[in-house]
Amino acid sequence: MTDLRDLYQELILDHYKRPRNRRRMEPVDRHAEGYNPLCGDRINVYLKMTDGVVRDVSFEGSGCAISTASASLMTEALKGKTVEETRDLFSRFHRLLTTEQSANQEPDLGKLEAFAGVRQFPVRVKCATLAWHTLKAALEQQHETVTTE
Ligand code: ZN
């Protein structure tokens, strides 16, 4: 278990230090802005959609290691997914972060499971889900800044 936890920490650190898909996207089909006042994390999420499928996704922002790594891993997980699959992934990711492990039978989230340990730190759950809440706002075309409060 220790090895696995170290591996997860390494993955999070790697995505924090070298975030994937961190760039402004122009032109863009969908965009939303998110803010987590508890930690000070800020993020912009950009989406390119064709026929209800995420063709490209990127983010910009400044935040802690957890929020940045989560945004980076999220962008990797979403390319090619339909809106429906994206919503499903978000609810499973949210469950991973908020439900006891024993009750979580089917996470099947690949690299996103690296965030399972965040469950023990409720304040950090908001950091880990900020990018996802912002993504959801972008999909629903909300134009107000999303906050985790
Ligand atoms: Zn944070």
Side-chain angles (χ1 to χ4, degrees):
M1 265 327 266
T2 311
D3 288 351
L4 193 64
R5 205 162 19 201
D6 286 351
L7 188 75
Y8 279 170
Q9 267 166 14
E10 231 166 77
L11 186 72
I12 288 173
L13 268 179
D14 177 49
H15 277 260
Y16 172 52
K17 289 180 185 155
R18 297 186 305 121
R20 319 304 196 263
N21 305 302
R22 184 157 78 175
R23 60 190 151 81
R24 174 179 283 275
M25 192 188 289
E26 259 168 332
V28 65
D29 294 325
R30 308 281 177 92
H31 163 244
E33 201 180 334
Y35 177 48
N36 173 17
L38 229 60
C39 178
D41 308 313
R42 288 184 183 279
I43 190 171
N44 281 280
V45 171
Y46 306 99
L47 285 170
K48 232 182 215 106
M49 309 282 302
T50 321
D51 302 326
V53 173
V54 177
R55 292 298 172 200
D56 199 7
V57 48
S58 69
F59 78 101
E60 251 188 343
S62 58
C64 65
I66 298 287
S67 69
T68 304
S70 176
S72 173
L73 280 154
M74 178 187 83
T75 59
E76 281 199 326
L78 289 183
K79 273 183 206 174
K81 295 263 191 301
T82 65
V83 172
E84 205 52 48
E85 286 166 341
T86 297
R87 289 213 173 97
D88 175 59
L89 205 57
F90 179 30
S91 45
R92 280 189 290 140
F93 183 64
H94 199 263
R95 266 208 306 277
L96 175 79
L97 293 175
T98 53
T99 320
E100 282 302 312
Q101 199 151 22
S102 53
N104 216 324
Q105 303 293 345
E106 35 77 56
D108 191 23
L109 284 164
K111 286 183 185 174
L112 295 175
E113 287 176 31
F115 292 93
V118 171
R119 191 191 302 125
Q120 295 153 44
F121 310 97
V123 169
R124 292 289 171 199
V125 169
K126 296 192 173 187
C127 300
T129 53
L130 177 66
W132 291 86
H133 284 294
T134 310
L135 166 82
K136 200 164 159 244
L139 286 172
E140 288 162 11
Q141 295 189 290
Q142 287 174 13
H143 295 297
E144 283 159 36
T145 301
V146 185
T147 77
T148 51
E149 286 304 284

